[in-house]
Amino acid sequence: DAKTTQPNSMESNEEEPVHLPCNHSTISGTDYIHWYRQLPSQGPEYVIHGLTSNVNNRMASLAIAEDRKSSTLILHRATLRDAAVYYCILRVTNNAGNMLTFGGGTRLMVKP
Amino acid sequence: DAGITQSPRYKITETGRQVTLMCHQTWSHSYMFWYRQDLGHGLRLIYYSAAADITDKGEVPDGYVVSRSKTENFPLTLESATRSQTSVYFCASSVFGRSSGTGELFFGEGSRLTVL
């Protein structure tokens, strides 16, 4: 099964950029890279996803390595509301369909 | 705009009892998922379903049963609850295409289950 590896926690200062790394060395060619975040006492929410090219949306940017074995979620200006657990997961397509398996995630702490 | 709803939000039961957690979505999404999240840990996939009458096991399916007779409902049953099944359970739904780049998961608010 494709797995992801993330640091357990990271700290950032408010209004500074944050780069959250993720390793997925066993990724296959058809696996999409997804990022979700979970605020305290809430269900996870979608942040961004990509396959090969870098992606931008209003929440964040996703930079994908050329060999696809790693990716980085970029929050351009961290706010206190960005303090959450960020999950990097792979959308695996198999005979049964599509499956997303979460890892431990990175707890992001934002200091004012 | 109901979205995806879970019930009950909170449940306390005893070891050995049967418990069913309900999940209902109003978007007609083809895919639905059940995850559990133990205190201080990430989410683990229990079961998922690609369409009505199609279900498959995730990482931790033992002790759980699911069904999907209708697209909008995906109940999760603990046939004989154990203390180790004390957790927060999240249901999610999505539209996936094998070749599409979409696939945002929409999560419910969670059902907190305590087994005494």
Side-chain angles (χ1 to χ4, degrees), chain B residues 14-60:
Chain B
E14 295 177 337
T15 300
R17 299 233 178 195
Q18 183 179 82
V19 176
T20 296
L21 305 180
M22 305 300 294
C23 181
H24 175 80
Q25 52 109 350
T26 59
W27 296 303
S28 298
H29 286 169
S30 56
Y31 277 83
M32 296 188 76
F33 302 80
W34 274 107
Y35 292 89
R36 63 175 286 177
Q37 184 172 38
D38 301 330
L39 188 64
H41 289 84
L43 286 84
R44 290 185 292 172
L45 181 63
I46 306 171
Y47 269 95
Y48 66 106
S49 169
D53 297 322
I54 300 174
T55 62
D56 205 357
K57 297 178 181 178
E59 302 171 272
V60 289

Side-chain angles (χ1 to χ4, degrees), chain B:
Chain B
D1 182 47
I4 183 165
T5 55
Q6 295 183 232
S7 62
R9 294 289 314 282
Y10 301 91
K11 176 75 175 179
I12 299 174
T13 191
E14 295 177 337
T15 300
R17 299 233 178 195
Q18 183 179 82
V19 176
T20 296
L21 305 180
M22 305 300 294
C23 181
H24 175 80
Q25 52 109 350
T26 59
W27 296 303
S28 298
H29 286 169
S30 56
Y31 277 83
M32 296 188 76
F33 302 80
W34 274 107
Y35 292 89
R36 63 175 286 177
Q37 184 172 38
D38 301 330
L39 188 64
H41 289 84
L43 286 84
R44 290 185 292 172
L45 181 63
I46 306 171
Y47 269 95
Y48 66 106
S49 169
D53 297 322
I54 300 174
T55 62
D56 205 357
K57 297 178 181 178
E59 302 171 272
V60 289
D62 293 342
Y64 302 94
V65 175
V66 293
S67 62
R68 186 109 181 263
S69 58
K70 293 183 177 181
T71 299
E72 60 266 31
N73 297 323
F74 191 38
L76 176 74
T77 298
L78 290 67
E79 293 190 304
S80 179
T82 65
R83 288 189 181 141
S84 65
Q85 292 177 310
T86 293
S87 190
V88 180
Y89 291 84
F90 288 100
C91 179
S93 72
S94 185
V95 176
F96 283 132
R98 280 183 177 265
S99 60
S100 84
T102 59
E104 176 180 352
L105 281 177
F106 296 87
F107 282 84
E109 293 183 330
S111 294
R112 185 177 296 274
L113 176 67
T114 301
V115 183
L116 302 177

Side-chain angles (χ1 to χ4, degrees), chain A residues 17-85:
Chain A
V18 181
H19 290 233
L20 298 166
C22 180
N23 287 319
H24 28 78
S25 58
T26 60
I27 192 171
S28 73
T30 58
D31 294 343
Y32 282 84
I33 302 159
H34 285 239
W35 284 82
Y36 284 76
R37 72 178 187 181
Q38 186 175 23
L39 302 171
S41 301
Q42 294 187 26
E45 63 175 348
Y46 169 83
V47 176
I48 199 166
H49 77 278
L51 183 61
T52 56
S53 304
N54 294 343
V55 184
N56 299 298
N57 66 20
R58 63 178 179 81
M59 289 183 71
S61 295
L62 176 61
I64 301 172
E66 195 167 336
D67 63 5
R68 300 207 332 122
K69 294 183 184 298
S70 66
S71 61
T72 302
L73 180 70
I74 303 165
L75 306 180
H76 296 286
R77 287 184 64 198
T79 69
L80 297 178
R81 288 173 294 180
D82 291 324
V85 178

Side-chain angles (χ1 to χ4, degrees), chain A residues 4-9 35 85-88 102-108, chain B residues 42:
Chain A
T4 61
T5 305
Q6 300 175 254
N8 288 334
S9 64
W35 284 82
V85 178
Y86 286 79
Y87 295 99
C88 166
F102 284 71
T106 297
R107 181 174 298 278
L108 175 66

